[in-house]
Amino acid sequence: MTTTRWSNQRRARKVVLGYVGVITLAFIAVAVLLAVHTGPDASFAGVLAIAVTLPASLLVVLTPDLAPPWDGVLTTAVLVAGALVQAWLLWLLFRGHRLD
């Protein structure tokens, strides 16, 4: 089994893992805020999830059939899927050319 090597593989890995780490921390922060605060103080917690997943989160915001991001599991799944697609696109962008 041969593995494909890329010219900027390490840098691409750092960028993608950093992005996934930021997304993970943001969603953990949103979950904690929503679990701890039941009042209106946590009403802007979903905005953090939308901000860190831009531009994929525009799909959620502009689709009227989906629940607001702070209100539904389906919308959160769409945000996470969008973030994973963006991470894959970052990998494609930063990986460089193939080394033979």
Side-chain angles (χ1 to χ4, degrees):
M1 181 176 143
T2 61
T3 59
T4 304
R5 304 269 312 157
W6 302 96
S7 62
N8 294 327
Q9 186 170 348
R10 282 188 167 172
R11 183 171 54 164
R13 186 180 307 137
K14 289 178 184 178
V15 168
V16 170
L17 290 177
Y19 175 73
V20 169
V22 167
I23 296 296
T24 303
L25 289 175
F27 276 92
I28 289 172
V30 168
V32 168
L33 281 172
L34 291 176
V36 173
H37 296 290
T38 57
D41 293 343
S43 62
F44 283 106
V47 176
L48 177 64
I50 290 173
V52 296
T53 56
L54 276 171
S57 62
L58 292 176
L59 172 71
V60 173
V61 174
L62 298 176
T63 305
D65 293 337
L66 291 176
W70 51 89
D71 223 10
V73 174
L74 173 66
T75 305
T76 303
V78 171
L79 284 176
V80 170
L84 291 175
V85 168
Q86 287 180 162
W88 176 69
L89 291 173
L90 283 171
W91 168 257
L92 293 179
L93 181 68
F94 283 99
R95 70 182 179 183
H97 62 276
R98 184 184 297 216
L99 298 175
D100 293 326

Coordinates of all heavy atoms in Angstrom, one line a residue:
M1 N 0.8 -1.2 0.0 CA 0.0 0.0 0.0 C 0.9 1.2 0.0 O 1.7 1.4 0.9 CB -0.9 0.0 1.2 CG -1.8 1.1 1.3 SD -2.9 0.9 2.8 CE -3.0 2.6 3.3
T2 N 0.7 2.1 -1.0 CA 1.5 3.3 -1.1 C 0.6 4.5 -0.6 O -0.6 4.5 -0.8 CB 1.9 3.6 -2.5 OG1 0.8 3.7 -3.3 CG2 2.8 2.5 -3.0
T3 N 1.3 5.4 0.1 CA 0.6 6.6 0.6 C 1.0 7.7 -0.3 O 2.1 7.9 -0.8 CB 0.9 6.9 2.0 OG1 2.3 7.1 2.1 CG2 0.5 5.8 2.9
T4 N 0.0 8.6 -0.6 CA 0.3 9.8 -1.4 C 0.9 10.9 -0.5 O 0.4 11.1 0.5 CB -1.0 10.2 -2.0 OG1 -1.6 9.2 -2.8 CG2 -0.8 11.4 -3.0
R5 N 1.9 11.5 -1.0 CA 2.6 12.5 -0.3 C 2.3 13.8 -1.0 O 2.2 13.9 -2.2 CB 4.1 12.3 -0.2 CG 4.5 11.0 0.4 CD 4.7 11.0 1.9 NE 5.6 12.1 2.3 CZ 5.6 12.6 3.5 NH1 4.8 12.1 4.4 NH2 6.3 13.6 3.8
W6 N 2.1 14.9 -0.3 CA 1.9 16.2 -0.8 C 3.0 17.2 -0.4 O 3.6 17.0 0.7 CB 0.5 16.7 -0.4 CG -0.6 15.8 -0.8 CD1 -1.2 14.8 0.0 CD2 -1.3 15.7 -2.0 NE1 -2.1 14.2 -0.7 CE2 -2.2 14.7 -2.0 CE3 -1.1 16.4 -3.2 CZ2 -3.0 14.3 -3.0 CZ3 -2.0 16.1 -4.3 CH2 -2.9 15.0 -4.2
S7 N 3.2 18.2 -1.2 CA 4.3 19.1 -0.9 C 4.1 19.9 0.4 O 5.1 20.2 1.1 CB 4.5 20.1 -2.1 OG 3.3 20.9 -2.3
N8 N 2.9 20.2 0.8 CA 2.6 21.0 2.0 C 1.7 20.2 2.9 O 0.9 20.8 3.6 CB 1.9 22.3 1.6 CG 2.8 23.3 0.8 OD1 4.0 23.3 1.0 ND2 2.2 24.0 -0.1
Q9 N 2.0 18.9 3.0 CA 1.1 18.1 3.8 C 1.1 18.5 5.3 O 0.0 18.5 5.9 CB 1.6 16.6 3.7 CG 0.7 15.6 4.3 CD 1.1 14.2 4.0 OE1 1.9 14.0 3.1 NE2 0.6 13.2 4.7
R10 N 2.2 18.8 5.9 CA 2.3 19.2 7.3 C 1.5 20.4 7.6 O 0.7 20.5 8.5 CB 3.7 19.3 7.8 CG 4.4 18.0 8.0 CD 5.7 18.2 8.7 NE 6.2 17.0 9.2 CZ 7.4 16.8 9.7 NH1 8.2 17.9 9.7 NH2 7.8 15.7 10.1
R11 N 1.7 21.4 6.7 CA 1.0 22.7 6.9 C -0.5 22.5 6.7 O -1.3 23.1 7.5 CB 1.6 23.8 6.0 CG 0.9 25.1 6.2 CD 1.6 26.2 5.5 NE 1.7 25.9 4.1 CZ 1.9 26.8 3.2 NH1 2.1 28.0 3.5 NH2 2.0 26.5 1.9
A12 N -0.8 21.8 5.7 CA -2.3 21.5 5.5 C -2.9 20.8 6.7 O -4.0 21.1 7.1 CB -2.5 20.7 4.2
R13 N -2.2 19.9 7.2 CA -2.7 19.1 8.4 C -2.9 20.1 9.6 O -3.9 20.0 10.3 CB -1.8 18.0 8.8 CG -2.3 17.1 9.8 CD -1.4 16.0 10.2 NE -1.0 15.2 9.0 CZ 0.3 14.8 8.8 NH1 1.2 15.0 9.7 NH2 0.5 14.1 7.7
K14 N -1.9 21.0 9.8 CA -2.0 21.9 10.9 C -3.2 22.9 10.7 O -3.9 23.1 11.7 CB -0.7 22.7 11.1 CG 0.4 21.9 11.6 CD 1.7 22.7 11.6 CE 2.8 21.9 12.1 NZ 4.1 22.7 12.1
V15 N -3.4 23.3 9.5 CA -4.5 24.3 9.2 C -5.8 23.6 9.5 O -6.7 24.1 10.1 CB -4.4 24.8 7.8 CG1 -5.7 25.5 7.4 CG2 -3.2 25.8 7.7
V16 N -6.0 22.4 8.9 CA -7.3 21.6 9.0 C -7.6 21.2 10.5 O -8.7 21.4 11.0 CB -7.3 20.4 8.1 CG1 -8.5 19.5 8.4 CG2 -7.3 20.9 6.6
L17 N -6.5 20.7 11.2 CA -6.8 20.3 12.6 C -7.0 21.5 13.4 O -7.8 21.5 14.4 CB -5.6 19.5 13.1 CG -5.4 18.1 12.5 CD1 -4.2 17.4 13.0 CD2 -6.7 17.3 12.8
G18 N -6.4 22.7 13.2 CA -6.7 23.9 13.9 C -8.1 24.3 13.7 O -8.8 24.7 14.6
Y19 N -8.6 24.3 12.4 CA -9.9 24.7 12.1 C -10.9 23.7 12.8 O -11.9 24.2 13.4 CB -10.2 24.6 10.6 CG -11.6 24.9 10.2 CD1 -12.1 26.2 10.3 CD2 -12.4 23.9 9.7 CE1 -13.4 26.5 9.9 CE2 -13.7 24.2 9.4 CZ -14.2 25.5 9.5 OH -15.5 25.7 9.1
V20 N -10.7 22.4 12.7 CA -11.6 21.5 13.4 C -11.6 21.7 14.9 O -12.6 21.6 15.6 CB -11.2 20.0 13.0 CG1 -11.9 19.0 13.8 CG2 -11.5 19.8 11.5
G21 N -10.4 22.0 15.5 CA -10.3 22.3 16.9 C -11.1 23.5 17.3 O -11.8 23.5 18.3
V22 N -11.1 24.6 16.5 CA -11.9 25.8 16.8 C -13.3 25.5 16.7 O -14.1 25.9 17.6 CB -11.5 26.9 15.8 CG1 -12.5 28.1 15.9 CG2 -10.1 27.4 16.1
I23 N -13.7 24.7 15.7 CA -15.2 24.3 15.6 C -15.6 23.5 16.8 O -16.7 23.7 17.3 CB -15.4 23.6 14.2 CG1 -15.1 24.4 13.0 CG2 -16.8 23.0 14.2 CD1 -16.0 25.6 12.9
T24 N -14.8 22.6 17.2 CA -15.1 21.7 18.3 C -15.3 22.5 19.6 O -16.3 22.4 20.3 CB -14.1 20.6 18.5 OG1 -14.0 19.9 17.3 CG2 -14.4 19.7 19.6
L25 N -14.3 23.4 19.8 CA -14.4 24.2 21.0 C -15.6 25.2 21.0 O -16.3 25.4 22.0 CB -13.1 25.0 21.2 CG -11.9 24.3 21.6 CD1 -10.6 25.2 21.6 CD2 -12.1 23.6 22.9
A26 N -15.9 25.7 19.8 CA -17.1 26.6 19.7 C -18.4 25.8 20.0 O -19.3 26.3 20.7 CB -17.1 27.2 18.3
F27 N -18.5 24.6 19.5 CA -19.7 23.9 19.7 C -19.8 23.4 21.2 O -20.9 23.3 21.7 CB -19.9 22.7 18.7 CG -20.5 23.1 17.4 CD1 -19.7 23.5 16.4 CD2 -21.9 23.1 17.3 CE1 -20.3 23.9 15.2 CE2 -22.5 23.5 16.1 CZ -21.7 23.9 15.0
I28 N -18.7 23.1 21.8 CA -18.7 22.7 23.2 C -19.1 23.9 24.0 O -19.9 23.8 25.0 CB -17.3 22.2 23.6 CG1 -17.1 20.8 23.0 CG2 -17.2 22.2 25.2 CD1 -15.7 20.3 23.3
A29 N -18.6 25.1 23.7 CA -19.0 26.3 24.4 C -20.5 26.6 24.3 O -21.1 27.0 25.2 CB -18.2 27.5 23.9
V30 N -21.0 26.4 23.1 CA -22.4 26.6 22.9 C -23.2 25.6 23.7 O -24.2 26.0 24.3 CB -22.8 26.5 21.4 CG1 -24.3 26.5 21.1 CG2 -22.2 27.7 20.6
A31 N -22.8 24.4 23.7 CA -23.6 23.4 24.5 C -23.5 23.7 25.9 O -24.6 23.6 26.6 CB -23.0 22.0 24.2
V32 N -22.4 24.1 26.4 CA -22.3 24.4 27.9 C -23.1 25.7 28.2 O -23.8 25.7 29.2 CB -20.8 24.6 28.3 CG1 -20.7 25.3 29.6 CG2 -20.0 23.3 28.2
L33 N -23.0 26.7 27.4 CA -23.9 27.9 27.6 C -25.3 27.6 27.6 O -26.1 28.1 28.5 CB -23.6 28.9 26.6 CG -22.3 29.7 26.8 CD1 -22.0 30.6 25.6 CD2 -22.4 30.6 28.0
L34 N -25.8 26.7 26.7 CA -27.2 26.4 26.7 C -27.6 25.5 27.8 O -28.7 25.5 28.3 CB -27.5 25.8 25.3 CG -27.5 26.7 24.1 CD1 -27.7 25.9 22.8 CD2 -28.5 27.8 24.2
A35 N -26.7 24.7 28.3 CA -27.0 23.8 29.4 C -27.0 24.5 30.8 O -27.8 24.2 31.6 CB -26.0 22.6 29.5
V36 N -26.1 25.5 30.9 CA -26.0 26.2 32.2 C -27.0 27.3 32.3 O -27.6 27.5 33.4 CB -24.5 26.7 32.3 CG1 -24.4 27.6 33.6 CG2 -23.6 25.5 32.4
H37 N -27.1 28.1 31.3 CA -28.0 29.3 31.3 C -29.3 29.0 30.7 O -29.4 28.6 29.5 CB -27.4 30.5 30.6 CG -26.1 30.9 31.2 ND1 -26.0 31.6 32.4 CD2 -24.8 30.9 30.8 CE1 -24.8 31.9 32.7 NE2 -24.0 31.4 31.8
T38 N -30.4 29.1 31.5 CA -31.7 28.8 30.9 C -32.4 30.1 30.5 O -33.4 30.1 29.9 CB -32.6 28.1 31.9 OG1 -32.6 28.8 33.1 CG2 -32.0 26.7 32.2
G39 N -31.9 31.2 31.0 CA -32.6 32.5 30.7 C -32.2 33.1 29.4 O -31.5 32.4 28.5
P40 N -32.5 34.4 29.2 CA -32.2 35.0 27.9 C -30.7 35.3 27.7 O -30.3 35.7 26.7 CB -33.0 36.3 28.0 CG -33.2 36.6 29.4 CD -33.3 35.2 30.1
D41 N -29.9 35.1 28.8 CA -28.4 35.3 28.6 C -27.8 34.4 27.6 O -26.8 34.7 27.0 CB -27.7 35.1 30.0 CG -28.1 36.1 31.0 OD1 -28.7 37.1 30.6 OD2 -27.9 35.8 32.2
A42 N -28.3 33.2 27.4 CA -27.8 32.2 26.4 C -28.4 32.4 25.0 O -28.1 31.5 24.2 CB -27.9 30.8 27.0
S43 N -29.2 33.4 24.8 CA -29.9 33.4 23.5 C -29.0 33.7 22.3 O -29.3 33.4 21.2 CB -31.0 34.5 23.6 OG -30.3 35.8 23.8
F44 N -27.8 34.2 22.6 CA -26.8 34.5 21.5 C -25.8 33.4 21.4 O -24.8 33.5 20.6 CB -26.1 35.8 21.7 CG -27.0 37.0 21.4 CD1 -27.5 37.8 22.3 CD2 -27.3 37.3 20.0 CE1 -28.3 38.9 22.0 CE2 -28.1 38.3 19.7 CZ -28.6 39.1 20.7
A45 N -26.0 32.3 22.1 CA -25.0 31.2 22.0 C -25.0 30.6 20.6 O -23.9 30.2 20.1 CB -25.3 30.1 23.0
G46 N -26.1 30.5 20.0 CA -26.1 29.9 18.6 C -25.4 30.8 17.6 O -25.0 30.3 16.6
V47 N -25.3 32.1 17.9 CA -24.6 33.0 16.9 C -23.1 32.6 16.9 O -22.5 32.7 15.8 CB -24.8 34.4 17.4 CG1 -24.0 35.4 16.5 CG2 -26.3 34.8 17.4
L48 N -22.6 32.1 17.9 CA -21.2 31.7 17.9 C -21.0 30.5 17.0 O -20.0 30.4 16.2 CB -20.7 31.3 19.3 CG -19.3 30.7 19.5 CD1 -18.3 31.8 19.1 CD2 -19.1 30.2 20.9
A49 N -21.9 29.5 17.0 CA -21.9 28.4 16.1 C -22.0 28.8 14.6 O -21.3 28.3 13.8 CB -22.9 27.4 16.4
I50 N -22.8 29.8 14.4 CA -23.0 30.3 13.0 C -21.7 31.1 12.6 O -21.3 30.9 11.5 CB -24.2 31.2 13.0 CG1 -25.5 30.4 13.1 CG2 -24.3 32.0 11.7 CD1 -26.8 31.2 13.2
A51 N -21.1 31.8 13.5 CA -20.0 32.6 13.1 C -18.8 31.8 12.8 O -18.1 32.1 11.8 CB -19.6 33.6 14.3
V52 N -18.5 30.7 13.5 CA -17.3 29.9 13.2 C -17.5 29.0 12.0 O -16.5 28.5 11.5 CB -16.9 29.1 14.5 CG1 -16.5 30.0 15.6 CG2 -17.9 28.1 14.9
T53 N -18.7 28.8 11.6 CA -18.9 27.9 10.4 C -19.3 28.7 9.2 O -19.7 28.1 8.2 CB -20.0 26.9 10.7 OG1 -21.2 27.5 11.1 CG2 -19.6 25.9 11.8
L54 N -19.1 30.0 9.2 CA -19.3 30.8 8.0 C -18.3 30.3 6.9 O -17.2 29.9 7.3 CB -19.0 32.2 8.2 CG -20.2 33.0 8.8 CD1 -19.8 34.4 9.2 CD2 -21.4 33.1 7.8
P55 N -18.6 30.2 5.7 CA -19.8 30.6 5.0 C -20.8 29.5 4.8 O -21.9 29.7 4.3 CB -19.3 31.0 3.6 CG -18.1 30.2 3.4 CD -17.5 30.0 4.8
A56 N -20.5 28.3 5.3 CA -21.4 27.1 5.2 C -22.7 27.4 6.0 O -23.8 26.9 5.7 CB -20.8 25.8 5.7
S57 N -22.6 28.2 7.1 CA -23.7 28.4 7.9 C -24.8 29.3 7.2 O -25.9 29.3 7.6 CB -23.3 29.1 9.2 OG -22.7 30.4 9.0
L58 N -24.4 29.9 6.2 CA -25.4 30.7 5.4 C -26.5 29.8 4.8 O -27.6 30.2 4.7 CB -24.7 31.5 4.3 CG -23.8 32.6 4.7 CD1 -23.1 33.3 3.5 CD2 -24.6 33.7 5.5
L59 N -26.1 28.5 4.5 CA -27.1 27.6 4.1 C -28.2 27.4 5.1 O -29.3 27.3 4.8 CB -26.4 26.2 3.8 CG -27.3 25.0 3.5 CD1 -27.9 25.2 2.1 CD2 -26.5 23.8 3.5
V60 N -27.8 27.3 6.4 CA -28.7 27.1 7.5 C -29.6 28.4 7.7 O -30.8 28.3 7.9 CB -28.0 26.7 8.8 CG1 -28.9 26.7 9.9 CG2 -27.3 25.4 8.6
V61 N -28.9 29.5 7.7 CA -29.6 30.8 7.9 C -30.6 31.1 6.8 O -31.7 31.6 7.1 CB -28.6 31.9 8.2 CG1 -29.2 33.2 8.3 CG2 -27.7 31.6 9.4
L62 N -30.2 30.8 5.6 CA -31.0 31.2 4.5 C -32.1 30.2 4.1 O -32.9 30.5 3.2 CB -30.1 31.6 3.3 CG -29.2 32.8 3.5 CD1 -28.3 32.9 2.3 CD2 -29.9 34.0 3.8
T63 N -32.0 29.0 4.7 CA -33.0 28.0 4.4 C -34.2 28.1 5.4 O -34.0 27.8 6.6 CB -32.4 26.6 4.5 OG1 -31.3 26.5 3.6 CG2 -33.4 25.5 4.1
P64 N -35.4 28.5 4.9 CA -36.5 28.8 5.9 C -37.1 27.5 6.5 O -37.7 27.6 7.6 CB -37.5 29.5 5.0 CG -37.2 29.0 3.6 CD -35.7 28.8 3.6
D65 N -36.8 26.3 5.9 CA -37.5 25.1 6.5 C -36.7 24.5 7.7 O -37.3 23.7 8.4 CB -37.5 24.0 5.4 CG -38.5 24.4 4.3 OD1 -39.4 25.3 4.6 OD2 -38.4 23.9 3.2
L66 N -35.5 24.9 7.9 CA -34.7 24.4 9.0 C -35.0 25.2 10.3 O -35.3 26.4 10.2 CB -33.2 24.5 8.7 CG -32.7 23.5 7.6 CD1 -31.3 23.7 7.4 CD2 -33.0 22.1 8.0
A67 N -34.9 24.6 11.4 CA -35.1 25.3 12.7 C -33.9 26.2 12.9 O -32.8 26.0 12.4 CB -35.2 24.3 13.8
P68 N -34.1 27.2 13.8 CA -32.9 28.1 14.1 C -31.8 27.2 14.7 O -32.1 26.2 15.4 CB -33.5 29.0 15.1 CG -35.0 29.1 14.9 CD -35.3 27.7 14.4
P69 N -30.6 27.6 14.5 CA -29.4 26.8 15.0 C -29.4 26.5 16.5 O -28.9 25.6 16.9 CB -28.2 27.7 14.6 CG -28.7 28.6 13.6 CD -30.1 28.8 13.8
W70 N -30.0 27.4 17.3 CA -30.0 27.2 18.7 C -31.2 26.4 19.2 O -31.4 26.2 20.3 CB -30.0 28.5 19.4 CG -31.0 29.5 18.9 CD1 -32.3 29.5 19.4 CD2 -30.9 30.4 17.9 NE1 -33.0 30.5 18.7 CE2 -32.2 31.0 17.7 CE3 -29.9 30.8 17.0 CZ2 -32.4 32.0 16.8 CZ3 -30.1 31.7 16.1 CH2 -31.4 32.3 16.0
D71 N -32.0 25.9 18.2 CA -33.2 25.2 18.5 C -33.3 23.8 18.0 O -34.3 23.1 18.4 CB -34.4 26.1 17.9 CG -35.5 26.2 18.9 OD1 -35.4 25.9 20.0 OD2 -36.6 26.7 18.4
G72 N -32.4 23.3 17.2 CA -32.7 22.0 16.6 C -31.5 21.2 16.4 O -30.4 21.7 16.1
V73 N -31.6 19.9 16.5 CA -30.6 18.9 16.3 C -30.2 18.8 14.8 O -29.1 18.7 14.5 CB -31.0 17.5 16.9 CG1 -29.9 16.5 16.6 CG2 -31.2 17.6 18.4
L74 N -31.2 18.9 14.0 CA -31.0 18.8 12.5 C -30.2 20.0 12.1 O -29.2 19.8 11.3 CB -32.4 18.8 11.8 CG -32.3 18.9 10.3 CD1 -31.6 17.7 9.7 CD2 -33.6 19.1 9.7
T75 N -30.4 21.2 12.6 CA -29.7 22.3 12.2 C -28.2 22.2 12.6 O -27.3 22.6 11.9 CB -30.3 23.6 12.7 OG1 -31.7 23.6 12.2 CG2 -29.6 24.8 12.2
T76 N -28.0 21.7 13.8 CA -26.7 21.5 14.4 C -25.9 20.5 13.5 O -24.7 20.7 13.2 CB -26.7 21.1 15.8 OG1 -27.5 22.1 16.6 CG2 -25.3 21.0 16.4
A77 N -26.6 19.5 13.1 CA -26.0 18.4 12.3 C -25.6 19.0 10.9 O -24.5 18.7 10.4 CB -26.9 17.3 12.1
V78 N -26.4 19.9 10.4 CA -26.1 20.6 9.1 C -24.9 21.5 9.3 O -24.0 21.6 8.4 CB -27.3 21.3 8.6 CG1 -27.0 22.2 7.4 CG2 -28.4 20.4 8.2
L79 N -24.8 22.2 10.4 CA -23.7 23.1 10.7 C -22.4 22.3 10.8 O -21.3 22.6 10.3 CB -23.9 23.9 12.0 CG -24.8 25.1 11.9 CD1 -25.0 25.7 13.2 CD2 -24.3 26.1 10.9
V80 N -22.4 21.1 11.5 CA -21.3 20.3 11.7 C -20.8 19.7 10.3 O -19.7 19.7 10.0 CB -21.5 19.2 12.7 CG1 -20.4 18.2 12.7 CG2 -21.7 19.8 14.1
A81 N -21.8 19.3 9.5 CA -21.5 18.7 8.2 C -20.9 19.8 7.3 O -19.9 19.6 6.6 CB -22.8 18.2 7.5
G82 N -21.4 21.0 7.4 CA -20.8 22.1 6.6 C -19.4 22.4 7.1 O -18.5 22.7 6.2
A83 N -19.2 22.4 8.4 CA -17.8 22.6 8.9 C -16.8 21.5 8.4 O -15.7 21.8 8.0 CB -17.8 22.6 10.4
L84 N -17.3 20.3 8.3 CA -16.4 19.2 7.8 C -16.2 19.3 6.3 O -15.0 19.1 5.9 CB -17.1 17.8 8.1 CG -17.1 17.4 9.6 CD1 -17.9 16.1 9.8 CD2 -15.7 17.3 10.2
V85 N -17.1 19.8 5.6 CA -16.9 20.0 4.2 C -15.9 21.2 4.0 O -15.0 21.1 3.2 CB -18.2 20.3 3.4 CG1 -18.0 20.9 2.0 CG2 -19.1 19.1 3.4
Q86 N -16.0 22.2 4.8 CA -15.1 23.3 4.8 C -13.7 22.8 5.1 O -12.7 23.3 4.6 CB -15.5 24.5 5.7 CG -16.7 25.2 5.1 CD -17.2 26.3 5.9 OE1 -17.9 27.1 5.4 NE2 -16.8 26.4 7.2
A87 N -13.6 21.9 6.1 CA -12.3 21.4 6.5 C -11.6 20.6 5.3 O -10.4 20.7 5.1 CB -12.4 20.5 7.7
W88 N -12.4 19.9 4.6 CA -12.0 19.1 3.5 C -11.5 20.1 2.4 O -10.5 19.9 1.8 CB -13.1 18.2 3.0 CG -12.7 17.5 1.7 CD1 -11.8 16.5 1.6 CD2 -13.2 17.7 0.4 NE1 -11.7 16.0 0.3 CE2 -12.6 16.8 -0.5 CE3 -14.2 18.5 -0.1 CZ2 -12.9 16.7 -1.8 CZ3 -14.5 18.5 -1.4 CH2 -13.8 17.6 -2.3
L89 N -12.3 21.2 2.2 CA -11.9 22.2 1.2 C -10.6 22.9 1.6 O -9.7 23.2 0.7 CB -13.0 23.2 0.9 CG -14.2 22.6 0.3 CD1 -15.3 23.7 0.2 CD2 -13.9 22.2 -1.2
L90 N -10.4 23.1 2.9 CA -9.1 23.7 3.3 C -8.0 22.7 3.1 O -6.9 23.1 2.7 CB -9.2 24.0 4.8 CG -10.0 25.2 5.2 CD1 -10.1 25.3 6.7 CD2 -9.3 26.5 4.7
W91 N -8.2 21.4 3.3 CA -7.2 20.4 2.9 C -6.8 20.5 1.5 O -5.6 20.5 1.1 CB -7.6 19.0 3.3 CG -6.7 18.0 2.8 CD1 -7.0 17.2 1.7 CD2 -5.4 17.6 3.2 NE1 -5.9 16.3 1.5 CE2 -5.0 16.6 2.4 CE3 -4.6 18.1 4.3 CZ2 -3.7 16.0 2.6 CZ3 -3.4 17.5 4.4 CH2 -2.9 16.5 3.6
L92 N -7.8 20.5 0.6 CA -7.5 20.6 -0.8 C -6.8 21.9 -1.2 O -5.9 21.9 -2.1 CB -8.8 20.5 -1.6 CG -9.6 19.2 -1.6 CD1 -10.9 19.4 -2.4 CD2 -8.8 18.1 -2.1
L93 N -7.1 23.0 -0.5 CA -6.5 24.2 -0.8 C -5.0 24.3 -0.4 O -4.1 24.8 -1.1 CB -7.3 25.4 -0.1 CG -6.8 26.8 -0.4 CD1 -7.0 27.2 -1.8 CD2 -7.5 27.7 0.6
F94 N -4.7 23.7 0.8 CA -3.4 23.9 1.4 C -2.4 22.7 1.2 O -1.2 22.8 1.5 CB -3.5 24.1 2.9 CG -3.9 25.5 3.3 CD1 -5.2 25.8 3.6 CD2 -3.0 26.5 3.3 CE1 -5.6 27.1 3.9 CE2 -3.3 27.8 3.6 CZ -4.7 28.1 3.9
R95 N -2.9 21.6 0.6 CA -2.0 20.4 0.5 C -0.9 20.5 -0.5 O 0.1 19.9 -0.4 CB -2.8 19.2 0.2 CG -3.4 19.2 -1.2 CD -4.2 18.0 -1.5 NE -4.7 18.0 -2.8 CZ -5.5 17.2 -3.3 NH1 -5.9 16.2 -2.6 NH2 -5.9 17.3 -4.6
G96 N -1.0 21.4 -1.5 CA 0.1 21.6 -2.4 C 0.0 20.5 -3.6 O -1.1 20.0 -3.8
H97 N 1.1 20.3 -4.2 CA 1.1 19.4 -5.3 C 1.6 18.0 -4.9 O 2.3 17.9 -3.9 CB 2.0 19.9 -6.5 CG 3.4 20.1 -6.1 ND1 3.9 21.2 -5.5 CD2 4.5 19.3 -6.3 CE1 5.2 21.1 -5.3 NE2 5.6 20.0 -5.7
R98 N 1.3 17.0 -5.7 CA 1.7 15.6 -5.4 C 3.2 15.4 -5.6 O 3.7 15.8 -6.6 CB 0.9 14.7 -6.2 CG 1.1 13.2 -5.9 CD 0.3 12.3 -6.9 NE -1.1 12.6 -6.7 CZ -2.0 11.7 -6.8 NH1 -1.7 10.5 -7.1 NH2 -3.3 12.0 -6.7
L99 N 3.8 14.7 -4.6 CA 5.2 14.3 -4.8 C 5.2 12.9 -5.2 O 4.5 12.0 -4.6 CB 5.9 14.4 -3.4 CG 5.9 15.8 -2.8 CD1 6.6 15.8 -1.5 CD2 6.7 16.8 -3.7
D100 N 6.0 12.6 -6.2 CA 6.1 11.2 -6.7 C 7.3 10.5 -6.2 O 8.2 11.0 -5.8 CB 6.1 11.2 -8.2 CG 4.7 11.6 -8.8 OD1 3.7 11.3 -8.2 OD2 4.7 12.3 -9.8

